[in-house]
């Protein structure tokens, strides 16, 4: 028995209505916390303590951002973070892809044991103290390269990229070899360009991780101010603001009276400004990689 035409037309309408309402609610729930953080960062600190700040500041002020940028070290730390993020991303992508291509070749007899060794590093770690002594023995303490060398290869990224390479037709490689191309030329001319979707996805992961990292700066370069990263400086500022209730001028970081500092800058408002400053650069980069994100991750994680 055929369903009535009225019911047939009603079901798609109900589905689209429910889907639209659900997605709108999801967007609101996801977007509101960040919008509220931006609003709080532009609102006077003492007014924020009163609560009731939602989508528009009650008392506009830039004092929170002045407090964040009051220290001259923040600018050098920003460029250190930029250099670290760019170099880490480029080297990780290139070297991990080269390793993935090597381990994807069936004629390479050591590909299975080497893959097992890399996978084991995802489950077992020597720990913080042995890792510190390793960095020390490599003479990387208080060096910019301590941000780069430990992150040049990623086992998880290698597995994703190698799986993606497995979806590339073997006939392309065989045709190139017949034409006299060597392995490196095949990698640079064929494999690397065809991996663009998954590489864009991995690049986003690596860049976000490098940009947000501060603990390695705390461990390995804390005694050298000119190697401090942006995230580490913001963490120190936030810690200072949280512990300076008895001296608001320290939290403000600018020459102000105690009463004016209390009225404009509080740990809550500083925290909001720090969050915005730390997140904006990555949010600017993300839209350029979004079109590769879903396709690259899906194809790289499931072999067809």
């Amino acid at each position: 028995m055929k369903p009535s035409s009225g019911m047939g037309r009603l079901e798609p309408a109900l589905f689209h209505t429910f889907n639209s309402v659900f997605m709108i609610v999801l967007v609101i729930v996801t977007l509101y916390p960040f919008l509220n953080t931006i609003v709080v960062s532009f609102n006077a600190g003492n007014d924020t303590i009163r609560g009731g700040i939602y989508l528009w500041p009650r008392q506009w002020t830039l004092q929170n951002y002045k407090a964040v940028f009051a220290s001259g070290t923040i600018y050098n730390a920003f460029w250190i973070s930029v250099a670290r993020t760019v170099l880490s991303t480029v080297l990780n992508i290139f070297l991990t892809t080269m390793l993935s291509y090597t381990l994807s070749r069936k004629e390479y007899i050591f590909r299975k044991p080497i893959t097992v060794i890399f996978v084991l590093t995802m489950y077992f770690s020597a720990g913080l103290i042995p890792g510190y002594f390793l960095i020390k023995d490599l003479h990387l303490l208080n060096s910019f390269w301590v941000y780069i060398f430990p992150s040049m290869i990623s086992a998880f990224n290698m597995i994703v990229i190698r799986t993606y390479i497995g979806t590339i037709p073997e006939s392309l490689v065989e045709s190139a070899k017949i034409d006299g191309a060597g392995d490196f030329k095949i990698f640079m001319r064929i494999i690397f360009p065809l991996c663009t979707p998954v590489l864009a996805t991995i690049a986003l992961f690596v860049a976000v991780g490098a940009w947000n990292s501060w603990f390695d700066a705390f461990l390995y370069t804390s005694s050298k101010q000119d190697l401090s990263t942006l995230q580490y400086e913001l963490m120190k500022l936030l810690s200072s603001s949280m512990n300076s209730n008895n001296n608001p001028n320290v939290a403000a970081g600018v020459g102000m009276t105690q009463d004016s500092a209390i009225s404009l800058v509080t740990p809550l408002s500083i925290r909001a400004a720090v969050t915005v400053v730390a997140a904006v650069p990555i949010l600017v980069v993300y839209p350029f990689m979004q079109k590769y994100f879903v396709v690259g991750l899906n194809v790289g994680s499931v072999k067809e």
Side-chain angles (χ1 to χ4, degrees):
M1 221 181 142
K2 293 184 179 180
S4 63
S5 59
M7 181 61 69
R9 290 193 297 268
L10 183 60
E11 288 181 357
L14 289 175
F15 171 78
H16 289 303
T17 301
F18 174 79
N19 188 51
S20 300
V21 172
F22 175 77
M23 295 304 297
I24 291 173
V25 172
L26 183 63
V27 168
I28 293 174
V29 171
T30 305
L31 193 60
Y32 172 75
F34 187 70
L35 293 177
N36 181 255
T37 300
I38 296 176
V39 169
V40 170
S41 71
F42 284 105
N43 197 73
N46 66 329
D47 185 64
T48 301
I49 294 175
R50 292 166 48 199
I53 305 296
Y54 300 108
L55 293 175
W56 196 259
R58 273 197 304 257
Q59 296 183 16
W60 279 89
T61 182
L62 294 176
Q63 193 59 46
N64 300 318
Y65 290 96
K66 290 180 180 178
V68 171
F69 291 102
S71 173
T73 61
I74 203 77
Y75 300 100
N76 180 72
F78 173 81
W79 290 113
I80 290 293
S81 290
V82 170
R84 169 195 179 154
T85 301
V86 172
L87 280 176
S88 294
T89 303
V90 171
L91 288 176
N92 185 287
I93 289 300
F94 183 77
L95 296 178
T96 304
T97 306
M98 186 179 293
L99 173 65
S100 302
Y101 173 65
T102 302
L103 296 180
S104 69
R105 305 309 302 158
K106 295 180 180 180
E107 61 269 22
Y108 182 50
I109 60 176
F110 296 112
R111 67 189 186 98
K112 288 186 178 180
I114 292 178
T115 300
V116 171
I117 292 173
F118 274 96
V119 170
L120 287 177
T121 65
M122 299 172 61
Y123 296 96
F124 302 100
S125 173
L128 184 61
I129 295 177
Y132 178 86
F133 282 114
L134 174 62
I135 295 297
K136 182 179 179 181
D137 292 340
L138 293 174
H139 304 289
L140 292 177
L141 290 181
N142 295 318
S143 168
F144 173 77
W145 298 107
V146 76
Y147 300 140
I148 308 300
F149 289 159
S151 61
M152 287 196 301
I153 297 292
S154 169
F156 174 80
N157 294 345
M158 181 271 293
I159 294 173
V160 174
I161 297 174
R162 190 191 67 171
T163 306
Y164 185 92
I165 292 175
T167 65
I168 298 175
E170 184 65 22
S171 57
L172 294 176
V173 177
E174 294 175 354
S175 298
K177 287 184 177 181
I178 292 174
D179 292 337
D183 286 326
F184 189 75
K185 189 172 184 179
I186 292 173
F187 171 75
M188 294 300 299
R189 296 289 183 88
I190 299 176
I191 303 300
F192 200 81
L194 290 177
C195 289
T196 299
V198 72
L199 294 185
T201 304
I202 297 299
L204 184 61
F205 288 160
V206 176
V208 170
W211 180 262
N212 289 334
S213 180
W214 65 269
F215 192 60
D216 50 0
F218 169 71
L219 286 177
Y220 307 128
T221 63
S222 57
S223 61
K224 200 167 184 179
Q225 180 60 49
D226 59 347
L227 289 177
S228 182
T229 61
L230 177 64
Q231 301 295 339
Y232 183 49
E233 288 298 313
L234 294 178
M235 186 277 296
K236 291 194 295 184
L237 175 64
L238 183 58
S239 298
S240 175
S241 68
M242 297 295 289
N243 296 324
S244 60
N245 292 331
N246 294 328
N247 185 5
N249 291 326
V250 175
V254 294
M256 293 168 44
T257 65
Q258 182 165 320
D259 292 338
S260 60
I262 292 175
S263 65
L264 291 176
V265 176
T266 63
L268 182 61
S269 60
I270 284 289
R271 182 172 61 191
V274 164
T275 302
V276 173
V277 170
V280 163
I282 289 296
L283 291 178
V284 171
V285 173
Y286 180 77
F288 297 99
M289 296 185 175
Q290 185 181 13
K291 62 181 180 179
Y292 300 108
F293 190 81
V294 175
V295 175
L297 190 60
N298 286 342
V299 177
S301 58
V302 180
K303 184 175 180 180
E304 294 180 356

